[in-house]
Structure formats: structure tokens, C-alpha cells
Amino acid sequence: DNTVRDLFRAQPAEATLLDIGVGSGKMATLWKEAGRTGPVAGIEVCAEYPRPEGYTNFVYAEAAEYLFTHWNDCYDVVTLGDVLEHMRKSVGRDLLEFLTIRSRLIIIKVPCDRGEHWLLQVHSGKSESHDAIWEPHDFNGLPARLCPVVEGMRLVVITGYMDRASRPATGD
């Protein structure tokens, strides 16, 4: 949380955030704690989860399907916390490449622990099932920096290509 909060603090106060895999709304909370005042958009696949506070725009949808049809939307920061392992790797890779040219910074958290918890999740409900294992080499070819593993999770930071001056972030 501290590393993510520090990455948020390094952004302009009015920066925009897209949180993919909203869950309980942790990223929106960290965004506000970091003093960011820009709009926060959220995408959550599981409609059973209640809509958390702190989101300017919010939609229940499959992230890749939704974003591929909203190709003109750009964001300063995109977060995918405990999300990529829940989609086929080919879809996740396409999504990362798509987001890299539509954002300034992408913050990803993926599990590294393949223990009992991982195996139990393989056969759980559709949105919670583990469908891919993400290893460091899976980020090759992207402008990615891999951070040390903390509590079984790896943080990956991708520097996006968005030129904010010529293509402003809308979040709409």
C-alpha cells in the first residue's frame, strides 16, 4: 500500500485514475489519501460486489471488453490489483498493450504464491477463478519495472506512452 500511495503522490494532483477490479474500493481510498483530487473511474466484473464510495465513474463489466469498445478513453494512472490472473493471459496481455498507449502509468499487483489458496481459486466462480499465471518474463516487451515480492504479491509498474499534451485524459 505504501509503494502504491507513493506512486500516486508522484502524479499531478488533478491526475485521473482508472481502477480495474475495484473490489472494496481500496485504490480510490489510497488515491484520496495521497492527496489526488482528479476523477476516479472504476470497472468491476462482479455485480454482486457493492459499489464502493469514491468513484466518479463506475461500471460493472468485463474490463477488456468494455475498454476495447471505449478506445478513446485515456487515464493518467491505471491500477489492476489482483486482476490479471483472473483472465486468460492472451486477453490480459492485449489489455496491457492497449492501456500502455492510453495511460501514463499502470500499476499491477499479481500473486506469486502458487500454494493451496491458488489451487482453491482455480475452480471457484467465473470472475474469481484463476485462469493464468503471470511470471516476470510475461512482461517482456513492455516498459515494465518489476518490484520485489511482498506478502506473495508482485508489484509491476509500466510506464505508459500517453502524451498528455496532445491527448488529454478524459475518464469518460
Side-chain angles (χ1 to χ4, degrees):
D1 290 356
N2 289 333
T3 302
V4 172
R5 196 178 293 110
D6 289 344
L7 289 166
F8 286 171
R9 283 188 184 121
Q11 305 307 309
E14 71 283 355
T16 58
L17 171 66
L18 170 61
D19 181 14
I20 299 174
V22 167
S24 65
K26 182 178 185 177
M27 291 300 148
T29 300
L30 292 174
W31 187 252
K32 299 299 180 196
E33 288 175 1
R36 303 308 85 182
T37 58
V40 179
I43 301 174
E44 174 56 56
V45 69
C46 188
E48 290 81 34
Y49 290 178
R51 178 183 173 157
E53 299 285 324
Y55 290 85
T56 311
N57 299 309
F58 185 89
V59 63
Y60 289 106
E62 293 273 350
E65 288 176 16
Y66 179 83
L67 290 169
F68 292 162
T69 62
H70 291 79
W71 55 267
N72 204 34
D73 291 355
C74 298
Y75 300 89
D76 292 301
V77 179
V78 177
T79 58
L80 296 101
D82 200 11
V83 169
L84 285 180
E85 71 277 11
H86 298 290
M87 56 182 72
R88 288 188 331 269
K89 192 176 288 184
S90 59
V91 173
R93 180 63 189 217
D94 286 349
L95 180 60
L96 291 179
E97 290 176 2
F98 181 86
L99 291 169
T100 298
I101 61 171
R102 289 169 176 79
S103 65
R104 296 175 59 197
L105 187 71
I106 303 169
I107 303 168
I108 304 161
K109 289 174 91 172
V110 291
C112 296
D113 183 6
R114 309 287 186 259
E116 183 178 332
H117 171 72
W118 178 269
L119 294 174
L120 289 174
Q121 293 291 86
V122 169
H123 301 292
S124 63
K126 180 181 181 277
S127 66
E128 295 293 326
S129 70
H130 286 170
D131 297 327
I133 296 172
W134 286 80
E135 301 288 350
H137 70 268
D138 292 317
F139 299 96
N140 289 349
L142 293 167
R145 177 172 52 96
L146 292 109
C147 302
V149 174
V150 176
E151 297 180 9
M153 298 293 282
R154 177 178 305 283
L155 188 69
V156 180
V157 179
I158 296 176
T159 304
Y161 298 124
M162 188 178 79
D163 177 358
R164 193 162 185 213
S166 64
R167 186 157 185 175
T170 61
D172 295 330

